[in-house]
Amino acid sequence: MPQTALIVIDVQNGFCPGGNLAVPGGDAIVPGVNAAMEKADIVVLTQDWHPAGHSSFASTHPGRSPYDVIDMPYGPQVLWPDHCVQGTPDGAFHPDLDVDRADAIVRKGTDPAIDSYSALFENDHRTPTGLHGWLRDRGVGAVAMVGLATDFCVAYSALDAARLGLDVTVDLSLTRAIDLDGSLDGALVKMREAGVTLTGQP
Ligand code: VGL
Ligand code: ZN
């Protein structure tokens, strides 16, 4: 029997109110995410986990500001405020998230030279995080995704999972968006076009 895995994207202090890249209402999803994890057979958490001075940080590029877009060897890259630095409280999971429930935790964005929004591939869309192999070995054929942020790490993960042939559902009631210049609407359109099933309302 193909298994379904719940993939919980980046429910970290950095993306919750008070964090360095706070997503409005990011913390409001935590009780619902815990309830979803309780019901799921297989649970994977992802954790955005950047070294200090990461190339996705505006502060690493003199003269650049957060939310500027620059060309990297792998394509355009939004520059962010410093966030989710390894070992800092900003990078820790939200304190109320039931981390003990996780079967696996995937850390991403650890290479200083490349960002990684997706749980499956870095932003070159080529370098694997290893999660695809893990899911395959566990017989996972379908994934449900929730977490932060809808229009970046959740959408990139959902699009990659669909491209790999997994059956993908995103429960929007358990996501919140950054919404830079229409990025949420763009992400919703792309996910629908890719055959991702969207349920719920943010
Ligand atoms: C994310 C921007 C930078 C996310 C991570 O989790 O959506 N967004 N790093
Ligand atoms: Zn990041």
Side-chain angles (χ1 to χ4, degrees):
M1 255 292 275
Q3 303 272 310
T4 299
L6 176 66
I7 304 190
V8 178
I9 308 286
D10 299 2
V11 181
Q12 295 169 252
N13 291 327
F15 301 117
C16 291
N20 290 341
L21 183 37
V23 178
D27 55 340
I29 68 170
V30 174
V33 171
N34 284 338
M37 289 198 289
E38 213 171 296
K39 284 188 270 172
D41 293 326
I42 298 178
V43 176
V44 178
L45 306 183
T46 69
Q47 190 171 22
D48 210 39
W49 197 244
H50 300 305
H54 191 259
S55 57
S56 74
F57 296 168
S59 64
T60 302
H61 303 270
R64 294 293 186 172
S65 306
Y67 313 108
D68 284 355
V69 179
I70 62 165
D71 282 318
M72 294 289 270
Y74 54 83
Q77 170 71 47
V78 179
L79 296 178
W80 302 105
D82 291 24
H83 67 277
C84 296
V85 172
Q86 297 173 2
T88 66
D90 200 68
F93 288 110
H94 186 286
D96 297 335
L97 185 72
D98 184 11
V99 173
D100 291 349
R101 177 65 191 84
D103 296 293
I105 299 177
V106 175
R107 286 176 166 167
K108 61 187 181 61
T110 58
D111 180 340
I114 182 166
D115 205 0
S116 187
Y117 295 147
S118 164
L120 293 152
F121 294 95
E122 300 193 4
N123 282 11
D124 60 4
H125 302 288
R126 233 180 292 272
T127 309
T129 62
L131 179 59
H132 183 217
W134 192 93
L135 294 172
R136 209 168 30 199
D137 287 352
R138 292 285 181 114
V140 171
V143 291
M145 292 187 175
V146 298
L148 305 171
T150 324
D151 40 348
F152 288 91
C153 291
V154 174
Y156 274 63
S157 299
L159 292 171
D160 279 345
R163 181 162 61 90
L164 293 171
L166 292 157
D167 188 312
V168 188
T169 303
V170 174
D171 180 351
L172 294 173
S173 73
L174 299 179
T175 66
R176 291 294 184 277
I178 296 174
D179 205 11
L180 269 187
D181 298 328
S183 57
L184 176 57
D185 283 345
L188 295 174
V189 167
K190 277 195 190 161
M191 287 193 280
R192 281 196 195 95
E193 281 172 0
V196 173
T197 303
L198 301 177
T199 65
Q201 292 289 322

